[in-house]
Amino acid sequence: MSADNHPRQENPRIGRYLGNAVRHEVMATLWVMRREWVLWLVPLAVLLVLAFLLLPFPPDTLRIARGQPDSGIEAMARRYAAELALTGVKVEFVDSQGAPDNLRLVSEDRAEVGFSQAGLPPVKEVESLGSVAYQPLWLFHRPSVVSGESLGTALRGKRVAIGSSGSGTQLMARRLMEHLAPEIRQSIETVPLSNAEMVAALQSGAVDAGLLASSYEAGHVQALLRNRGLGMWNFSHMDGHARLEPNIYPVVMPSGTAMLEPPLPAQDIHMVAGTMTLVVRPELHSATKYLLLDISRRLAAEELDPFTEPGDFPVLARDGLEHGKVARRYYESGLPTAWNYLPYWLATLIDSAWLGLLALLGLLFPLFKSLPNNRSLYYSALESERYHDLLELEAALSRARGRSDLLALLKRVHALQERLRSMWLPQGAKQKFGTLLTASMELEAKIREALRR
């Protein structure tokens, strides 16, 4: 047969067929859920119990160690709390003396989250999520008392506030003084004071100078910066010290940062800075860890800090603490793929459990295949009811005794046929439906034959 005489092949409308199949499946599923909703309660309850036991949800409340009032750590803790509130996570603040104290509180499980300082001695049960900001070491002084070309000359024989016990300020101050000559260290009168006490002591003249490790936005730093009776020490010879001291970096505060006219500071101020580290309990839910890391990224992008350059933070620095799997993965490949499309806890769940979910589906697939699908179940249930109605009508026909009984029976057959024609017919059920409709028509013919007798 030539190609011209070959029968033309018809192309079926596959798209319409698949669309109808999906629509029918949805309709049937909704029907089953409406009619037999109790059957869904048992598997749903089992899934919820398993999810609660095996895949606990992230906490809705976090305890954050916040440091001293008006400190840089407290300012950072409040920024994180505001971001967490947007996701429905409540924050309970835990007071502390500063970075080392925060590390202790997290280690003792008195807080789930804290802000520490890179370079502190490592402790157990604490995990680092990376450094999030600089913590410059400020030296405010009374210019009429403190002067000289070098730091040692300026501080010789002076009363210097070095921060309270358990604070990051005191730790950085003592590490700095270790690099001074022994006779200069011995001549300095160190005074342990809290941030608030240091501000008051500088203003009253109770101390000649004060060291403060805190971020630029801290309330105490801002108060001291704008005090015209105080000066800021320019650590002009500290680059070498920063290179030799782990976790210490040279930073510069440009002239006019705090005020343009008159410029404050009047000249560029060279300083050294540590880094503020975000620390958590190791067992904290992985979704919450990813959430904190995402907040770190967003806050760093919004940072208005004169010391920070774009891309400086967050960073997984050598802070002496353990870096967990979540932190390492975040800094290697970023957030889970579904993070921007789903709630943070669900995106993390899918990302961490997708292999297990695939394995579970593989085990359950044969079971699902053995069960009737929703379309078959829906139609089979209706078909069974109509067959039962048809059998009742046939039995009633055998019991009919007169014309009135036959007319009543014919009316019932017509009602059955109307119900049959109004039935939703899924794909693959046309043959069964045709058999059922034909049986009803045959019954109608029998009744009409009986009426003619």
Side-chain angles (χ1 to χ4, degrees), residues 336-351:
T337 305
W339 190 267
N340 294 325
Y341 309 100
L342 298 173
Y344 75 94
W345 59 269
L346 183 57
T348 306
L349 173 63
I350 293 174
D351 182 74

PDB file of all heavy atoms in Angstrom, residues 336-351:
ATOM      1  N   PRO A 336      19.328  26.019  52.793  1.00  0.00           N
ATOM      2  CA  PRO A 336      18.624  24.963  52.041  1.00  0.00           C
ATOM      3  C   PRO A 336      17.879  25.542  50.845  1.00  0.00           C
ATOM      4  O   PRO A 336      17.434  26.697  50.860  1.00  0.00           O
ATOM      5  CB  PRO A 336      17.654  24.383  53.077  1.00  0.00           C
ATOM      6  CG  PRO A 336      18.301  24.658  54.396  1.00  0.00           C
ATOM      7  CD  PRO A 336      19.016  25.969  54.238  1.00  0.00           C
ATOM      8  N   THR A 337      17.732  24.741  49.796  1.00  0.00           N
ATOM      9  CA  THR A 337      17.146  25.204  48.533  1.00  0.00           C
ATOM     10  C   THR A 337      15.747  25.769  48.716  1.00  0.00           C
ATOM     11  O   THR A 337      15.376  26.772  48.104  1.00  0.00           O
ATOM     12  CB  THR A 337      17.098  24.038  47.535  1.00  0.00           C
ATOM     13  OG1 THR A 337      18.416  23.497  47.386  1.00  0.00           O
ATOM     14  CG2 THR A 337      16.602  24.516  46.180  1.00  0.00           C
ATOM     15  N   ALA A 338      14.946  25.145  49.576  1.00  0.00           N
ATOM     16  CA  ALA A 338      13.535  25.559  49.725  1.00  0.00           C
ATOM     17  C   ALA A 338      13.358  26.708  50.712  1.00  0.00           C
ATOM     18  O   ALA A 338      12.227  27.065  51.029  1.00  0.00           O
ATOM     19  CB  ALA A 338      12.701  24.358  50.183  1.00  0.00           C
ATOM     20  N   TRP A 339      14.443  27.304  51.177  1.00  0.00           N
ATOM     21  CA  TRP A 339      14.359  28.312  52.241  1.00  0.00           C
ATOM     22  C   TRP A 339      13.499  29.505  51.849  1.00  0.00           C
ATOM     23  O   TRP A 339      12.764  30.057  52.666  1.00  0.00           O
ATOM     24  CB  TRP A 339      15.761  28.770  52.607  1.00  0.00           C
ATOM     25  CG  TRP A 339      15.827  29.632  53.840  1.00  0.00           C
ATOM     26  CD1 TRP A 339      15.787  30.991  53.898  1.00  0.00           C
ATOM     27  CD2 TRP A 339      15.905  29.177  55.192  1.00  0.00           C
ATOM     28  NE1 TRP A 339      15.856  31.415  55.202  1.00  0.00           N
ATOM     29  CE2 TRP A 339      15.928  30.320  56.024  1.00  0.00           C
ATOM     30  CE3 TRP A 339      15.967  27.929  55.797  1.00  0.00           C
ATOM     31  CZ2 TRP A 339      16.023  30.240  57.408  1.00  0.00           C
ATOM     32  CZ3 TRP A 339      16.062  27.858  57.171  1.00  0.00           C
ATOM     33  CH2 TRP A 339      16.086  28.994  57.951  1.00  0.00           C
ATOM     34  N   ASN A 340      13.594  29.942  50.613  1.00  0.00           N
ATOM     35  CA  ASN A 340      12.873  31.137  50.167  1.00  0.00           C
ATOM     36  C   ASN A 340      11.420  30.868  49.803  1.00  0.00           C
ATOM     37  O   ASN A 340      10.690  31.812  49.482  1.00  0.00           O
ATOM     38  CB  ASN A 340      13.584  31.763  48.962  1.00  0.00           C
ATOM     39  CG  ASN A 340      14.950  32.305  49.330  1.00  0.00           C
ATOM     40  OD1 ASN A 340      15.151  32.805  50.434  1.00  0.00           O
ATOM     41  ND2 ASN A 340      15.900  32.191  48.413  1.00  0.00           N
ATOM     42  N   TYR A 341      10.992  29.601  49.840  1.00  0.00           N
ATOM     43  CA  TYR A 341       9.646  29.268  49.386  1.00  0.00           C
ATOM     44  C   TYR A 341       8.760  28.679  50.479  1.00  0.00           C
ATOM     45  O   TYR A 341       7.541  28.644  50.327  1.00  0.00           O
ATOM     46  CB  TYR A 341       9.717  28.273  48.219  1.00  0.00           C
ATOM     47  CG  TYR A 341      10.645  28.718  47.124  1.00  0.00           C
ATOM     48  CD1 TYR A 341      11.934  28.212  47.017  1.00  0.00           C
ATOM     49  CD2 TYR A 341      10.247  29.676  46.196  1.00  0.00           C
ATOM     50  CE1 TYR A 341      12.795  28.627  46.012  1.00  0.00           C
ATOM     51  CE2 TYR A 341      11.101  30.100  45.189  1.00  0.00           C
ATOM     52  CZ  TYR A 341      12.371  29.564  45.104  1.00  0.00           C
ATOM     53  OH  TYR A 341      13.225  29.982  44.113  1.00  0.00           O
ATOM     54  N   LEU A 342       9.370  28.189  51.575  1.00  0.00           N
ATOM     55  CA  LEU A 342       8.617  27.517  52.628  1.00  0.00           C
ATOM     56  C   LEU A 342       8.974  28.108  53.987  1.00  0.00           C
ATOM     57  O   LEU A 342       9.993  28.787  54.118  1.00  0.00           O
ATOM     58  CB  LEU A 342       8.940  26.010  52.626  1.00  0.00           C
ATOM     59  CG  LEU A 342       8.584  25.220  51.367  1.00  0.00           C
ATOM     60  CD1 LEU A 342       9.134  23.807  51.473  1.00  0.00           C
ATOM     61  CD2 LEU A 342       7.080  25.183  51.154  1.00  0.00           C
ATOM     62  N   PRO A 343       8.137  27.878  55.007  1.00  0.00           N
ATOM     63  CA  PRO A 343       8.536  28.278  56.358  1.00  0.00           C
ATOM     64  C   PRO A 343       9.885  27.666  56.717  1.00  0.00           C
ATOM     65  O   PRO A 343      10.214  26.555  56.283  1.00  0.00           O
ATOM     66  CB  PRO A 343       7.408  27.704  57.232  1.00  0.00           C
ATOM     67  CG  PRO A 343       6.236  27.590  56.314  1.00  0.00           C
ATOM     68  CD  PRO A 343       6.794  27.268  54.957  1.00  0.00           C
ATOM     69  N   TYR A 344      10.674  28.397  57.510  1.00  0.00           N
ATOM     70  CA  TYR A 344      12.058  27.986  57.748  1.00  0.00           C
ATOM     71  C   TYR A 344      12.157  26.578  58.324  1.00  0.00           C
ATOM     72  O   TYR A 344      13.050  25.802  57.953  1.00  0.00           O
ATOM     73  CB  TYR A 344      12.765  28.994  58.658  1.00  0.00           C
ATOM     74  CG  TYR A 344      12.381  28.925  60.119  1.00  0.00           C
ATOM     75  CD1 TYR A 344      13.134  28.173  61.015  1.00  0.00           C
ATOM     76  CD2 TYR A 344      11.284  29.625  60.623  1.00  0.00           C
ATOM     77  CE1 TYR A 344      12.798  28.110  62.353  1.00  0.00           C
ATOM     78  CE2 TYR A 344      10.946  29.565  61.950  1.00  0.00           C
ATOM     79  CZ  TYR A 344      11.703  28.811  62.819  1.00  0.00           C
ATOM     80  OH  TYR A 344      11.372  28.742  64.150  1.00  0.00           O
ATOM     81  N   TRP A 345      11.209  26.206  59.207  1.00  0.00           N
ATOM     82  CA  TRP A 345      11.292  24.882  59.822  1.00  0.00           C
ATOM     83  C   TRP A 345      10.979  23.783  58.814  1.00  0.00           C
ATOM     84  O   TRP A 345      11.587  22.708  58.838  1.00  0.00           O
ATOM     85  CB  TRP A 345      10.339  24.798  61.027  1.00  0.00           C
ATOM     86  CG  TRP A 345       8.907  25.056  60.689  1.00  0.00           C
ATOM     87  CD1 TRP A 345       8.256  26.246  60.704  1.00  0.00           C
ATOM     88  CD2 TRP A 345       7.935  24.081  60.255  1.00  0.00           C
ATOM     89  NE1 TRP A 345       6.952  26.092  60.317  1.00  0.00           N
ATOM     90  CE2 TRP A 345       6.713  24.773  60.049  1.00  0.00           C
ATOM     91  CE3 TRP A 345       7.977  22.703  60.051  1.00  0.00           C
ATOM     92  CZ2 TRP A 345       5.568  24.135  59.629  1.00  0.00           C
ATOM     93  CZ3 TRP A 345       6.827  22.061  59.635  1.00  0.00           C
ATOM     94  CH2 TRP A 345       5.650  22.767  59.435  1.00  0.00           C
ATOM     95  N   LEU A 346      10.026  24.058  57.897  1.00  0.00           N
ATOM     96  CA  LEU A 346       9.668  23.051  56.898  1.00  0.00           C
ATOM     97  C   LEU A 346      10.766  22.908  55.850  1.00  0.00           C
ATOM     98  O   LEU A 346      11.087  21.795  55.412  1.00  0.00           O
ATOM     99  CB  LEU A 346       8.343  23.429  56.238  1.00  0.00           C
ATOM    100  CG  LEU A 346       7.781  22.445  55.201  1.00  0.00           C
ATOM    101  CD1 LEU A 346       7.605  21.063  55.825  1.00  0.00           C
ATOM    102  CD2 LEU A 346       6.452  22.953  54.648  1.00  0.00           C
ATOM    103  N   ALA A 347      11.363  24.021  55.448  1.00  0.00           N
ATOM    104  CA  ALA A 347      12.456  23.964  54.479  1.00  0.00           C
ATOM    105  C   ALA A 347      13.629  23.163  55.037  1.00  0.00           C
ATOM    106  O   ALA A 347      14.235  22.350  54.332  1.00  0.00           O
ATOM    107  CB  ALA A 347      12.914  25.380  54.119  1.00  0.00           C
ATOM    108  N   THR A 348      13.929  23.358  56.316  1.00  0.00           N
ATOM    109  CA  THR A 348      15.028  22.612  56.942  1.00  0.00           C
ATOM    110  C   THR A 348      14.677  21.143  57.081  1.00  0.00           C
ATOM    111  O   THR A 348      15.530  20.273  56.878  1.00  0.00           O
ATOM    112  CB  THR A 348      15.337  23.210  58.319  1.00  0.00           C
ATOM    113  OG1 THR A 348      15.574  24.619  58.179  1.00  0.00           O
ATOM    114  CG2 THR A 348      16.571  22.566  58.918  1.00  0.00           C
ATOM    115  N   LEU A 349      13.412  20.851  57.429  1.00  0.00           N
ATOM    116  CA  LEU A 349      12.974  19.459  57.559  1.00  0.00           C
ATOM    117  C   LEU A 349      13.132  18.719  56.244  1.00  0.00           C
ATOM    118  O   LEU A 349      13.674  17.605  56.193  1.00  0.00           O
ATOM    119  CB  LEU A 349      11.530  19.418  58.038  1.00  0.00           C
ATOM    120  CG  LEU A 349      10.856  18.036  58.065  1.00  0.00           C
ATOM    121  CD1 LEU A 349      11.587  17.133  59.045  1.00  0.00           C
ATOM    122  CD2 LEU A 349       9.392  18.160  58.432  1.00  0.00           C
ATOM    123  N   ILE A 350      12.674  19.326  55.157  1.00  0.00           N
ATOM    124  CA  ILE A 350      12.780  18.687  53.845  1.00  0.00           C
ATOM    125  C   ILE A 350      14.234  18.506  53.461  1.00  0.00           C
ATOM    126  O   ILE A 350      14.647  17.461  52.949  1.00  0.00           O
ATOM    127  CB  ILE A 350      12.031  19.518  52.789  1.00  0.00           C
ATOM    128  CG1 ILE A 350      10.531  19.497  53.076  1.00  0.00           C
ATOM    129  CG2 ILE A 350      12.306  18.998  51.385  1.00  0.00           C
ATOM    130  CD1 ILE A 350       9.729  20.411  52.175  1.00  0.00           C
ATOM    131  N   ASP A 351      15.051  19.511  53.742  1.00  0.00           N
ATOM    132  CA  ASP A 351      16.457  19.452  53.370  1.00  0.00           C
ATOM    133  C   ASP A 351      17.200  18.371  54.139  1.00  0.00           C
ATOM    134  O   ASP A 351      18.068  17.688  53.591  1.00  0.00           O
ATOM    135  CB  ASP A 351      17.113  20.813  53.629  1.00  0.00           C
ATOM    136  CG  ASP A 351      18.570  20.826  53.225  1.00  0.00           C
ATOM    137  OD1 ASP A 351      18.841  20.850  52.009  1.00  0.00           O
ATOM    138  OD2 ASP A 351      19.442  20.799  54.116  1.00  0.00           O
TER     139      ASP A 351
END
